[in-house]
Amino acid sequence: MIERISPPGVAAPRGPYSPAVRAGDFIFVSGQVAVDPATQQLISGDIAAETRQVLNNVKALIEGCGATLADVVKCGVYLGNGNDFAAMNAVYAEFFGEAKPARSTVVTGFAVPGIHVEIDAIAYKPRVA
């Protein structure tokens, strides 16, 4: 069974996609950027502040699907500037601690100006029968 999920209190999608999709025991979280869900505005600041907002958005979606960050098995991190890696990585480590998922990190350009970091995630959370 496939469910398209948009839990309350998360940033509204800015395009034709679902914020999260549950397919069986897997939860796929679309790439999240530094949008404040309360204002629906992109925040800007240093990369640490933006990464913290992005990961709070990922966490809210994962929890809205009944899982936790400890259930995340894979993340994709997309940075606009490779020089931001160390600061992003420090914040990322705060969120995942010892439950480190597999990860790819790519330096790329973004279609929307003002975005400096985007993170997507895949979690594994078996359904309770």
Side-chain angles (χ1 to χ4, degrees):
M1 180 165 93
I2 296 175
E3 296 174 74
R4 285 155 182 82
I5 304 167
S6 185
V10 300
R14 295 181 180 249
Y17 62 88
S18 297
V21 174
R22 181 184 259 281
D25 293 337
F26 286 94
I27 301 163
F28 299 85
V29 173
S30 293
Q32 297 298 299
V33 297
V35 171
D36 179 345
T39 65
Q40 298 297 316
Q41 297 298 310
L42 189 64
I43 68 159
S44 60
D46 64 16
I47 196 67
E50 291 185 30
T51 302
R52 189 165 276 105
Q53 182 63 61
V54 169
L55 288 169
N56 278 323
N57 293 350
V58 169
K59 182 180 178 195
L61 280 162
I62 292 287
E63 289 176 351
C65 294
T68 70
L69 288 179
D71 298 312
V72 174
V73 296
K74 174 78 168 77
C75 283
V77 177
Y78 308 92
L79 292 172
N81 183 333
N83 293 329
D84 290 334
F85 179 81
M88 174 283 299
N89 204 44
V91 175
Y92 183 94
E94 290 173 22
F95 277 78
F96 288 102
E98 293 304 311
K100 296 173 184 74
R103 183 178 87 185
S104 301
T105 304
V106 177
V107 176
T108 187
F110 292 102
V112 177
I115 294 175
H116 302 106
V117 59
E118 181 173 351
I119 300 175
D120 59 33
I122 301 169
Y124 178 75
K125 180 69 174 179
R127 294 181 182 270
V128 177

